[in-house]
Amino acid sequence: MSNGARHGLGALIGVVLTPVIAACLLYGAGELQRVARYSLGSFRSYHGSDLWIGTGLMLVTAILVGLVVGTRVSPVASLIPGAVFAGIGVLWVVDPLWMLRNTSRDLPDTLAHGYMMFGPYGLFLLLGGVLLVASVAPSRWKSRTAAGAAPRFGGPPPAPMGQPPMHGAQAPMGAHHAPQASPAPGQNPPWQGGAPQYGQPPAQLGASNPPPLPAAPPASPAPPPAGDKPRSSSQSDPDDDNPGEWTQMYGGNRPT
């Protein structure tokens, strides 16, 4: 919905709800005033229909006022009733006798009691001031646009977030990478970022990478020392015939 259409709908809501709020407020206040007079005059509590009707109408008035001052509704919805009620309240302050003679006579009795209670005591001015203050908030006059909305159909995909994936890992959703060619012999793969391989000197600025060093031949095992010659099975150790420590200590054959 455009901003102009939203304000137009708010104006319609304000025009319709202004008399509804006034009727509920005045009729409910008149019923509660009648109940209060009876209770104070007879020193007894009254719980009849007048009490519940007046209480219900005052609650409806509070709900309607809360709806027109909501942030989702155009401020015109609260500006119109606020200007009407504030104007009535100002006239009661400026010339109360003129308001008493020219405005109260045309109202029915169900509304006249509430009107005579709200007008002289400045309650119309209070309600109108609250509605006017709620209408001047700058945030209510701005158009409602969805922040961070998804891109339109056919638009570019969102940029991937986070660190780039490692070699061999799956690319994040929405990222389109061109296929990379395999490195030529003697060149570092692209995922190493130009770092020299193990065993190669670092590349100089402006020079191509040197060819890899040839692999060194495996080292041959060192020959045994000259004094440690292997003994053949035919040669016997002179200590083989002598009893070992186990036989000398415990006797018998040594366990194998």
Side-chain angles (χ1 to χ4, degrees), residues 54-245:
T55 303
L57 290 176
M58 297 300 287
L59 291 177
V60 172
T61 304
I63 293 173
L64 295 178
V65 172
L67 290 177
V68 297
V69 299
T71 57
R72 296 286 182 179
V73 185
S74 172
V76 184
S78 58
L79 181 63
I80 294 176
V84 172
F85 296 146
I88 295 174
V90 170
L91 290 177
W92 271 103
V93 173
V94 173
D95 196 349
L97 294 179
W98 185 89
M99 292 294 293
L100 180 63
R101 295 173 183 175
N102 298 276
T103 59
S104 60
R105 295 179 180 179
D106 298 335
L107 295 175
D109 294 339
T110 54
L111 301 179
H113 295 286
Y115 180 75
M116 294 304 299
M117 182 178 60
F118 274 81
Y121 294 101
L123 297 180
F124 277 119
L125 185 61
L126 174 64
L127 179 60
V130 171
L131 293 175
L132 289 178
V133 171
S135 303
V136 298
S139 59
R140 298 187 62 189
W141 291 94
K142 297 179 181 178
S143 60
R144 296 282 177 176
T145 55
R152 296 181 179 178
F153 180 76
M161 301 179 63
Q163 298 180 357
M166 298 180 64
H167 176 65
Q170 186 178 3
M173 182 179 298
H176 299 279
H177 301 283
Q180 298 180 358
S182 58
Q187 296 182 358
N188 296 334
W191 59 83
Q192 291 186 358
Q197 297 183 357
Y198 178 78
Q200 294 183 359
Q204 297 180 0
L205 183 62
S208 59
N209 295 334
L213 298 177
S220 57
D228 298 341
K229 296 182 178 181
R231 185 176 54 184
S232 60
S233 59
S234 60
Q235 296 178 359
S236 60
D237 193 350
D239 295 336
D240 291 345
D241 298 336
N242 297 330
E245 297 179 0

Side-chain angles (χ1 to χ4, degrees), residues 43-62:
F43 296 96
R44 291 186 302 177
S45 298
Y46 177 79
H47 300 285
S49 59
D50 294 341
L51 174 64
W52 304 117
I53 292 175
T55 303
L57 290 176
M58 297 300 287
L59 291 177
V60 172
T61 304

